[in-house]
Amino acid sequence: MSKAGSTTSTAITGSGVWHPETVITNAELCDAFNVWVRRENDAHAAEIAAGTRTAMRESTPEFIEKASGIKQRYAADKVGVLDPDRMVPNIPDRPDDQLALQAEWAVNAAKLALAQAGREGKDVDLVVLGTSNMQRLYPALAIEVLDALGGTGSGFDIALGCSSATMAITLATESVQLGKARCALAVTPEITTGFLNFRDRDSHFIFGDASVAILVEPLAGARPGSYEVISTKAMARFSSNIRNNQGYLNRCDPAHRDDSDKLFYQQGRRVFKDVVPMAARFIGEHLASAGVAPTEIARFWLHQANSNMNDLIAQRLIGRSATALEAPLILEEYANTASAGSAIAFSKYSDDLPSGAYGIMASFGAGYSLGSLLLRRT
Ligand code: COA
């Protein structure tokens, strides 16, 4: 755990959420998926009848909502996703002299965070871009974002699965604490529909697209209503239960380049069982080390993968279910936005707390990776 001591105290002075306007409902997603399933089963009817192949099963909106709490998701493109012949979003390549799509989404969210903090792009002196899946290897997207905003200083990308956003905010915070930056932007553009396997019944409904930005500055001079960063915590335990083998070496083995393991896949039930106790213990330990009781926390901005998971984690921490305001959910509207979820929950549900109130932002998932920030409203 890192704690502000003789270093500069920091605060989150602004945040912003941007998402594409296009919505895909559970019903639309299932309709397209089920057309594809029926086609596949028709095409392999003889093998299915002979018992040499298992018939694929259809997906239902009822299951999706009950199992996860998701009702819809925003998407970069729905035409390609809902076309049973394609089931991949249409995202055209851009020439190198145009802003990359992921950088564009980062800038969209960054502008909102800067406006809330009363800052301009030229004030930014560090961009930490953290996302579960990076559009390219280099040049770093963070540097492109810094340039597009008109900022100075430096920028770097980090990838930590579901904890990419909380780690980006932590690194931005530590840079300000150490005096290496004074206006540090942590930004998380999650174009999740690009890595989602829309032909996998177990996971085709999970993700949605969105971008979130958080601005960190010295506490002294922070606008009233900012959130002081009291302490941060991170933890990792290796697991392949959530995995994506997409990478630059894929082309070296053309026979397996397009296999389904080059997209997101998971053992969802195992993840659920592993992560609920792990996340509850992790958050509890963070609070204990800061001398704050879970019942003193006015708001839990939790990772947004599954509403049932969040309910169980809250129950373990405070001994009862959290109310909708104590542990807000964005899943219904956004679905799982990979690492962006807890930061989006923070951005959308942080205006109403009184001065002095504690809140904790916490992520948990792929890696396994966990990250948390204990915050107090100024
Ligand atoms: N439509 C209809 N039924 C479905 C379905 C779908 N799309 N997908 C699965 N089912 C069925 C299964 O076939 C199974 O029925 P069966 O026992 O008759 O075969 C039943 O629903 C339960 O399946 P299961 O896979 O055990 O579902 P679940 O309750 O575990 O929910 C997740 C699945 C993914 C929503 C849930 O496990 C989860 O959210 N896990 C945590 C994942 C996580 O946090 N990941 C981090 C990513 S950032």
Side-chain angles (χ1 to χ4, degrees):
M1 194 185 81
S2 73
K3 192 173 190 333
S6 58
T7 54
T8 305
S9 295
T10 62
I12 293 177
T13 55
S15 67
V17 180
W18 180 90
H19 60 76
E21 290 303 318
T22 304
V23 169
I24 303 180
T25 64
N26 288 346
E28 288 175 308
L29 198 66
C30 289
D31 284 349
F33 180 85
N34 294 340
V35 167
W36 177 75
V37 164
R38 289 194 283 273
R39 278 192 202 168
E40 286 292 297
N41 286 342
D42 286 349
H44 299 100
E47 296 149 75
I48 293 167
T52 55
R53 188 183 179 106
T54 310
M56 298 183 66
R57 287 180 292 174
E58 299 195 357
S59 182
T60 67
E62 295 73 28
F63 166 82
I64 296 171
E65 196 177 331
K66 185 161 180 281
S68 67
I70 295 165
K71 287 189 177 167
Q72 62 161 52
R73 70 280 301 136
Y74 295 107
D77 167 66
K78 73 193 278 185
V79 177
V81 169
L82 298 182
D83 175 358
D85 289 327
R86 182 175 162 87
M87 298 173 88
V88 173
N90 292 299
I91 300 180
D93 237 7
R94 291 182 176 183
D96 288 357
D97 60 0
Q98 251 184 44
L99 199 60
L101 185 69
Q102 215 167 13
E104 181 186 304
W105 286 30
V107 167
N108 291 343
K111 284 183 175 165
L112 299 171
L114 288 165
Q116 192 186 55
R119 299 286 177 220
E120 294 176 44
K122 64 178 173 45
D123 298 322
V124 175
D125 57 1
L126 174 69
V127 173
V128 186
L129 188 145
T131 183
S132 61
N133 285 252
M134 217 63 76
Q135 172 172 358
R136 64 163 186 254
L137 299 181
Y138 45 82
L141 284 153
I143 300 176
E144 192 177 2
V145 172
L146 185 69
D147 181 66
L149 290 171
T152 53
S154 63
F156 57 90
D157 296 344
I158 62 141
L160 189 59
C162 295
S163 289
S164 302
T166 51
M167 183 51 84
I169 304 167
T170 296
L171 293 171
T173 300
E174 288 171 351
S175 298
V176 177
Q177 283 174 347
L178 295 173
K180 293 181 173 179
R182 289 194 61 80
C183 187
L185 182 77
V187 65
T188 298
E190 289 283 11
I191 310 179
T192 65
T193 48
F195 64 72
L196 192 46
N197 184 352
F198 287 101
R199 293 186 167 146
D200 175 29
R201 178 174 179 258
D202 289 341
S203 65
H204 75 120
F205 57 87
I206 288 182
F207 290 104
D209 293 339
S211 178
V212 63
I214 300 279
L215 196 71
V216 181
E217 299 182 85
L219 177 65
R223 69 173 176 89
S226 297
Y227 275 86
E228 181 182 0
V229 182
I230 305 295
S231 61
T232 65
K233 184 175 165 75
M235 185 201 128
R237 200 190 90 194
F238 184 67
S239 165
S240 287
N241 286 340
I242 309 169
R243 198 163 166 127
N244 182 341
N245 287 325
Q246 178 68 239
Y248 80 103
L249 292 179
N250 295 160
R251 64 189 281 274
C252 306
D253 187 355
H256 296 289
R257 192 171 44 199
D258 295 320
D259 287 357
S260 58
D261 71 315
K262 309 304 182 299
L263 294 167
F264 168 91
Y265 62 107
Q266 71 170 355
Q267 308 295 327
R269 187 127 295 244
R270 272 196 232 158
V271 173
F272 196 109
K273 282 194 178 141
D274 288 350
V275 168
V276 167
M278 200 189 300
R281 195 167 51 246
F282 170 80
I283 296 169
E285 286 170 2
H286 185 174
L287 295 177
S289 65
V292 176
T295 48
E296 286 180 81
I297 297 294
R299 189 134 311 155
F300 293 89
W301 299 288
L302 298 179
H303 187 59
Q304 303 282 322
N306 184 304
S307 56
N308 303 319
M309 240 169 139
N310 286 12
D311 189 39
L312 290 170
I313 292 168
Q315 277 184 38
R316 283 177 182 244
L317 284 164
I318 59 174
R320 58 172 173 81
S321 288
T323 65
L325 213 51
E326 286 171 328
L329 290 171
I330 59 149
L331 275 165
E332 274 191 17
E333 179 184 353
Y334 286 84
N336 179 344
T337 51
S339 78
S342 56
I344 294 177
F346 167 79
S347 185
K348 296 186 86 71
Y349 294 94
S350 50
D351 276 355
D352 58 319
L353 293 185
S355 173
Y358 284 108
I360 189 158
M361 194 193 303
S363 63
F364 32 85
Y368 296 127
S369 60
L370 295 87
S372 56
L373 292 103
L374 176 61
L375 307 175
R376 183 171 54 205
R377 191 138 207 224
T378 61

